[in-house]
Amino acid sequence: MANAQCIFCRIIGGEIPADVVHDGGAFVAFRDIAPKAPVHILIIPRRHIASLNDVESKDGDLMGRMLLAARAIAEQEGVAEAGYRVVVNTGWNGGQSVDHMHFHVLGGRPMQWPPG
Ligand code: 5GP
Ligand code: ZN
């Protein structure tokens, strides 16, 4: 459940403000505080799930709805047609810095491949 040390749980709890763009019930989406692209939205489950490694099979529906929300948000933000990227950084090598699982939705500029 909510983790008092977790910055994203504190956003969910209303303790830290965030620019929320979508409320999906079991998940919310808000703008990244340090955007890496003109559009940079984070989608997080309300329940504290530390990383993709901690997602259980019962969360499959939640993950699917979060992914569809990523697409809807890309449309809402006007980047769907030009293209965008959905990223789930996981663990140390994956570059995860906040241990509450989240999707990044990045758009508004060309993305490079492979990622750094
Ligand atoms: P990660 O590095 O774990 O994949 O992504 C964490 C993201 O959370 C980073 O892009 C970072 O800028 C963002 N972030 C960290 N703290 C806050 C915060 O307090 N508010 C918001 N809106 N974003 C945050
Ligand atoms: Zn959390």
Side-chain angles (χ1 to χ4, degrees), residues 39-60:
V39 172
H40 189 174
I41 310 281
L42 303 173
I43 307 177
I44 74 171
R46 276 188 193 279
R47 196 175 103 237
H48 181 83
I49 302 174
S51 87
L52 185 57
N53 288 340
D54 301 286
V55 170
E56 299 169 49
S57 55
K58 70 174 168 62
D59 299 319

Side-chain angles (χ1 to χ4, degrees), residues 16-71:
I16 296 174
D19 185 1
V20 174
V21 299
H22 181 89
D23 188 338
F27 62 91
V28 295
F30 52 88
R31 294 189 194 280
D32 196 290
I33 201 167
K36 313 303 185 291
V39 172
H40 189 174
I41 310 281
L42 303 173
I43 307 177
I44 74 171
R46 276 188 193 279
R47 196 175 103 237
H48 181 83
I49 302 174
S51 87
L52 185 57
N53 288 340
D54 301 286
V55 170
E56 299 169 49
S57 55
K58 70 174 168 62
D59 299 319
D61 180 62
L62 171 63
M63 293 297 123
R65 285 185 289 126
M66 285 170 62
L67 192 55
L68 289 171
R71 186 183 75 183

